[in-house]
Every structure is written in structure tokens, then in C-alpha cells.
Amino acid sequence: METEKVLQERFGYGSFRPGQKEAIEAISGGRDCLAVLPTGAGKSLCFQVPALMQEKMTFVISPLISLMEDQTAHLRQRCIPALCLDSSMSRRTYNRTLYEASRGAYKLLYVSPERLQNEGFIRFAQKNPPSFVAVDEAHCVSQWGHDFRPSYLRIRNFVEALPQRPLYAAFTATATPAVRQDIITGLGMDDPLVIVRGFDRPNLFFAKQSPADKDRALLGEMETQRGKSGIVYCSTRRDTEHCFRLLRRHGYDAARYHGGLTAGERSAAQDAFIRDRVRVMAATSAFGMGVDKGNVSFVIHYNMPLSLEEYYQEAGRAGRNGDEARCVLFYCNEDLATGKALARRQEKPERAERLLAEMWEYCRQEGCLRSYILRYFGEDRTGECGNCSGCSGRNRWRRFINFLRNG
Ligand code: ADP
Ligand code: MG
């Protein structure tokens, strides 16, 4: 009950979003917690609410000054005393801030991971141990991720050197099992409750097929989507060019996007697509980062991507406006071979090969695709969603059996 009171009285929100309450209760109950929630789900609240319920201070570790300033400004607007220890602070301001903090002036102190290696700050923290240490953007601890920050690996030492072990929680939107494991070991979390929620996209229909002729299958799919906006993802520039030409030849107004084009050509193509001057984009995975286009009605993967995470991220560009949208994956043995060759050239070939094997497993398995994906990302999901080719395929099969039985 108390958590709801804090939510309403201090933050002015009516109710918790999926995952928030579970995380807050685990943390307040003294259990280490790793919360994996998508961007925009409200991860900050998961540490801000417990922070207000502690006697002493909370340290929030965050990788970017701009993120810290944003959050502390929001908190101060709500009359919650929060501050970020900014590296551009003068020595005097810095010392005064620490002095005020030691007198209990702040509920939340935002610090960069680098700060935790500073002798003076370590001494301060040992004299004024925090009740709670929250690590935001925790995937930065994973060397496999895009945002690896070596100083995140030092957080563990910092926490272990405190005179009392604080409440300890970590937050990220990166849901792959490998990164999750890296976070738990890298931060030295003790049997944390792992919460993964909110990755389901109910309006997306998922399908996978292994067509003998991908071009025909592509044109067949396209035929059902005429006039709608969509993306055709390919793994290589060559296949991207191939699909682009194929679509053009069959009367689709398509553009293309890959690393072999000039920056000018790429931004012109992206612009045309976003403004609906062309309907279809044939692209490599280079396309899509930060492209927020609501009315993408389909995403077709002409080749199998290198990981299920990449697949779900790209497929997830469909249906952002909430309308029904279709995500179709084509795969074949050559995709696996191409993937293996690409994996071998990556910095961490074993990891890349494992991700690829997991992607292949998804292609080969039978059953509900949505449940499979969500389980892969750690959500607790079983049964059939009724909105994917795994489910509808089986329903068709069942109908066929019933037909044979009943005539
Ligand atoms: P994340 O870090 O998960 O990407 P944020 O913590 O930045 O997300 O929150 C995203 C937005 O959601 C913020 O504007 C926040 O105020 C809002 N928000 C968070 N929790 C709730 C809630 N329970 N009810 C309403 N709005 C919320
Ligand atoms: Mg955040």
C-alpha cells in the first residue's frame, strides 16, 4: 500500500505500469533486482519510489550527464531533493554538495560510474553509506553490448567496499539472456529477482517460412500489402539491390538503403520513405535506427538475421501506430551459411555463433512464435497467442484433422 501512496502523492500517477510494482516490492524487500523493461516503460520510477522510502541516500549510477540532469530536474520539480554530481562542478561546489549530502540534504544523488573510482568520493561514501544503489542503463557493463563502459565493471568493487551492503538494483531495456547474465555477474548481484515485462507487441502478426523461391514468396507477400508501407530487410548489399530491383520491376515504388550508398543517397531514401513518397524500403540492418514511422504495415525479412534480438528489433518497426501489422521471416540453409561466415568475422565469434544458433533454433521450432520470442527475452510466457503462423498453422492442421474425422 505504501508504494502506491508514494506513487500518487509524490509523483502524481494513478497506477503502476507493468513491472514497476514487482520491481519496487523486490527492492524494498531487500532482494537484489534486475528489471528489464522497454524504453519508455518507466524504469526510473522503479528506483525513485524505493529511494523515497529509505532512511538514507540513494546513489543512482548513470552513464550520461544529460540523462542525469533530466531526471534530477524532474525530481526537483516534484520537490524531491535530488542532485547530480557533475564533473564540470567547481571544486568548491563539489565539496559543498558532498557536505550537504552528508547532512541528509538529498534523497537521490546521481553519479557517473567514473566518479566511483575517485578516492575522495569513495571516502565520502564509506562515511555516508547509501541505503540503496541503483544502476541505470546496466547493459553498459556487458562487453558484448554496443554501449560497453569499462567503468561499469568497477561498480561491483565500489558496492562491495561499502560498510553495509545497500539495496542493489539494475535497470536496462536490453533483454537478451547473454547481456542479462553479464549484468548479474558484472555487477556482483546476489540472486537477483529478474523482472522482464512489456516486450509483447500484440498487434504484430509473426510468420516464418522457408520458401523454395524467395522472390516468388516476396512478391506473393507484397501482393497482399499493395499500397501499404513496409520494409524488406536483407543481410547483404547485394540482396538489398536485388530486392529493390525486383520490387521496382513489379511496379512497387521502392527505395533502398545500405552502406554502399553515399550519405546523401541514404538520407534521401530515408526521407522519401518517412514522408510516404515511396512505400517500400529495401534495406540492410543499417536502416531503421531512430526511424520512428507509425504506419509501417509490414516488415519482411528476406534473409534470416544474425540474432533473435536483431530480428525482433527490426520486426518491431512495424505497427508502431498500434494497427495490425505483419512480420514475415524467410530463412534457408544459405542464410545460415552466410550468417556463420559473418559471425566468424566478428570480434567475438563464439558469441556471434551462439546468437546465430539461437536464431536458427527459432526458425526450426514449431509452435507459437510469440511465446518463443518472449521466452527468449525472459518473459514468463507459455501457450498460444493465436496471432502468429505457429498458432494459425496449427489451427489449420487441426481443422484439417477435424475435416477428415467429421467429413
Ligand atoms: P525508461 O527509463 O524505462 O525508458 P522513464 O523512466 O524515462 O522510462 O519513463 C518514461 C515516462 O513514463 C516518463 O515520462 C515517466 O514520468 C512516465 N511514467 C513512468 N511511470 C509511470 C506511471 N506509473 N504512470 C504514468 N506515467 C509514468
Ligand atoms: Mg531510463
Side-chain angles (χ1 to χ4, degrees), residues 43-44 71 136-137:
K43 289 183 284 296
S44 331
Q71 290 196 24
D136 207 3
E137 313 291 345

Side-chain angles (χ1 to χ4, degrees), residues 1 65 134 155 162 227 235 284 312 318 327 381 390 400:
M1 193 60 238
I65 285 282
I155 297 173
L162 291 171
S235 8
T284 60
Y312 198 54
C327 307
R381 190 60 111 92
F400 179 62

Side-chain angles (χ1 to χ4, degrees), residues 265-276:
E265 287 169 321
R266 283 200 304 270
S267 74
Q270 174 166 330
D271 205 52
F273 180 68
I274 286 175
R275 292 166 196 275
D276 283 323

Side-chain angles (χ1 to χ4, degrees), residues 1-11 13-37 41-54 58 75 108 131-134 167-171 192-197:
M1 193 60 238
E2 194 178 350
T3 54
E4 261 107 4
K5 227 171 110 194
V6 174
L7 180 77
Q8 286 155 11
E9 289 177 4
R10 306 299 299 271
F11 292 92
Y13 295 136
S15 57
F16 286 113
R17 287 187 182 159
Q20 287 181 330
K21 196 173 161 64
E22 294 91 320
I24 291 167
E25 281 178 355
I27 296 164
S28 315
R31 173 127 186 228
D32 286 6
C33 176
L34 166 59
V36 187
L37 304 171
K43 289 183 284 296
S44 331
L45 204 81
C46 299
F47 54 79
Q48 290 165 347
V49 170
L52 295 186
M53 296 163 63
Q54 302 313 311
T58 290
L75 290 168
L108 296 102
S131 297
F132 176 23
V133 173
L167 302 180
Y168 196 24
F171 303 86
L193 178 68
V194 180
I195 295 169
V196 187
R197 291 275 189 295

Side-chain angles (χ1 to χ4, degrees), residues 85-99 115 118-124:
L85 279 185
D86 175 343
S87 54
S88 69
M89 269 179 178
S90 72
R91 188 87 228 155
R92 238 182 99 203
T93 319
Y94 177 74
N95 287 337
R96 198 186 58 230
T97 303
L98 286 192
Y99 173 74
R115 175 78 61 196
N118 175 288
E119 286 295 328
F121 186 77
I122 293 174
R123 246 178 288 128
F124 163 79

